[in-house]
Amino acid sequence: MKKFVSIALAIVMVLSLSVSVFAVDDDYINSIASEVLSEHTVLFPADNGWWDQSGSGFTSSDDEGIAFIEAVQTEGAKVIIKADAYVASDEEGAGYQYAIQTTDTWVFITIHSNYPDEGEVAAESVVVEGDYAYLIVDAAELVEACLANDIDLTSNTWQWIHGACSGAKTYGVYVVTLAETEETTEEAEATEETTEEATEEASESTETSSPDTGVALALVPMAIAGIAVVSSKRR
């Protein structure tokens, strides 16, 4: 019995350790993510993080860069960029700007929070929580844009360019899968109800096209013929 209890406690401890691996030091990301696939934190020594690449260590040859590339290839993954809170103005070109650049050809793909040009990747949304803003980008769209411009992130030499916006700092780049929300669940339930209604309508339609009365009418001539045969034999 003691051995069994010891094994059970060991399993619980291992599971608790595995859960903490996917948690990050950010309440908002932990609240929306079902799993954190990769994390890269950014520390800026300067007051302004505009185009500051110094000491980022976020490249194709770095462990965090390799983890990033593996993560963005996960189905349904989102890239989340954490920066200083900033409300983009209506001025064209304003907003958050980041980029992945290949050092083989010096071509770069820009992620833009608003007013993206052709070939750039637009953030799906920008969420402001307290002092921070979170740019949510579809990972598959980012990879597709890179491949369309001959940037194969799995083999090229690349680096991440911190663009942010004038006066704002960037604090981290995360790749996550999002947790299901109540809205997602409601949409799934609505789809299921629609499917059930369509099935019921199809069933009713089938019953209408082949009613029991039709079968009964088809048997009337046979009944009449049978009666006629019996009557002829009696005579």
Side-chain angles (χ1 to χ4, degrees):
M1 183 64 181
K2 289 183 178 179
K3 288 184 178 180
F4 174 77
V5 173
S6 299
I7 293 172
L9 288 173
I11 292 172
V12 171
M13 291 176 68
V14 170
L15 290 175
S16 65
L17 287 173
S18 64
V19 170
S20 63
V21 168
F22 297 111
V24 295
D25 188 21
D26 187 284
D27 292 338
Y28 175 72
I29 290 178
N30 288 331
S31 70
I32 66 169
S34 62
E35 186 176 358
V36 178
L37 304 173
S38 76
E39 174 188 11
H40 170 68
T41 54
V42 181
L43 299 176
F44 285 106
D47 291 335
N48 191 330
W50 184 257
W51 300 116
D52 187 351
Q53 180 63 28
S54 62
S56 74
F58 197 30
T59 66
S60 56
S61 58
D62 185 77
D63 289 343
E64 290 186 7
I66 294 170
F68 173 82
I69 293 308
E70 292 178 353
V72 293
Q73 296 178 74
T74 303
E75 184 177 357
K78 304 291 181 182
V79 177
I80 300 181
I81 306 167
K82 178 182 178 181
D84 282 331
Y86 171 80
V87 179
S89 70
D90 293 333
E91 181 184 352
E92 187 170 349
Y96 296 99
Q97 299 178 58
Y98 296 88
I100 283 182
Q101 175 177 323
T102 171
T103 52
D104 297 326
T105 61
W106 299 105
V107 173
F108 64 89
I109 302 300
T110 302
I111 300 170
H112 209 306
S113 64
N114 59 345
Y115 303 108
D117 291 330
E118 185 178 353
E120 296 181 344
V121 179
E124 292 183 337
S125 61
V126 179
V127 178
V128 176
E129 288 284 328
D131 296 330
Y132 304 106
Y134 299 85
L135 281 73
I136 302 176
V137 181
D138 183 67
E141 185 178 343
L142 175 61
V143 172
E144 184 180 349
C146 288
L147 292 175
N149 287 273
D150 297 324
I151 300 177
D152 182 359
L153 297 175
T154 61
S155 61
N156 288 154
T157 302
W158 61 269
Q159 63 183 2
W160 179 273
I161 299 175
H162 303 304
C165 56
S166 182
K169 297 178 184 178
T170 303
Y171 297 93
V173 181
Y174 308 85
V175 182
V176 308
T177 52
L178 298 180
E180 285 191 4
T181 61
E182 291 182 5
E183 184 177 343
T184 303
T185 305
E186 288 173 1
E187 289 177 356
E189 290 176 351
T191 302
E192 186 177 347
E193 288 176 3
T194 303
T195 304
E196 289 177 357
E197 289 175 2
T199 304
E200 288 175 2
E201 289 176 1
S203 177
E204 290 173 2
S205 176
T206 304
E207 290 174 2
T208 304
S209 62
S210 303
D212 293 339
T213 52
V215 176
L217 291 172
L219 294 175
V220 169
M222 295 176 63
I224 294 173
I227 293 170
V229 170
V230 172
S231 300
S232 64
K233 286 185 178 180
R234 286 181 178 177
R235 290 177 185 176

